Amino acid sequence: MSIGNSPEDERPFENEHVEADHEEARPSIGRALQQARIAAGLTVDDVSSATRVRMNIVHAIEADDFSACGGDVYARGHIRTLAKAVHLDPAPLLAQYGDEHGGRPAPTPAAPLFEAERIRPERRGPNWTAAMVAAIVAVVGFVGFTMFRGDDGSSEANVAEGSTPGDSASPTTKTKKPAEPEPSDSAIAAAPQDKVTVRVAAADGRSWIAAKDHNGRMIFDGVLKQGDTKTFQDSSKVHLVLGDAGAIDLFVNGKKIEENFQPGSVERLTYTKGDPEAG
């Protein structure tokens, strides 16, 4: 007759240990990304430079802290981008993230994330573009008037004497009215210099974008299909969030932004007047 628990009584505890060992065998998302990065011989700085994901976010994700990502949608995008950079299949990591954070969230409009606020109308400065156009029109009109008076005098006299108009043409009569410039993709650059103008073009696919002005007020929130463009303008600053930065071409104050954005990467950018620089 044995004293204590029988082997049958101990089996449930053994099963619990097996399940616990199985859970411990699977590393966390951050740990898996960190191990793969180290195995690839890459530093955090290398990964940040290759993916355009800031170093503090890379450190946080490797510590399984996703609060710095700004939400589940951005967290998934960063996980996918980092996994590809360290040569990992992102699908298992995304599935693990869904298991640990309640599954894939239903798409919701981003507008509620930003609280719209009433702002006072800004005092605008002089419209220098209109002034320049008026000055050009005045100069062209004066030149045309001068040419007309010259034709009334000398040209008629020369024809009466038997000479040809071509023989008596002066350099002034040969001057042609300057042609109006044709609008092009960079015509956005003609925007007033006292403002910042940003043009977003979905060149290589569709992408969700959001744009806010310098006061944080939402200008646009939606999806651009391939071939669509949007232009945003503000007196001092434009904030952008690109859901798939690799599909987007950017033009800021008439200059194309030559950034090697990765497909599927989420980018937060800020542009101001002067030389376009990512914020």
Side-chain angles (χ1 to χ4, degrees), residues 181-222:
E182 292 292 333
S184 63
D185 286 342
S186 62
I188 307 301
Q193 296 181 357
D194 61 338
K195 294 185 179 181
V196 56
T197 303
V198 178
R199 179 172 177 265
V200 182
D204 298 324
R206 55 181 292 160
S207 173
W208 171 83
I209 67 170
K212 296 188 296 180
D213 63 13
H214 70 283
N215 285 303
R217 184 178 61 178
M218 181 66 68
I219 304 173
F220 178 81
D221 169 32

Side-chain angles (χ1 to χ4, degrees), residues 97-111:
Y97 182 87
D99 294 340
E100 296 173 358
H101 295 81
R104 185 176 183 86
T108 56

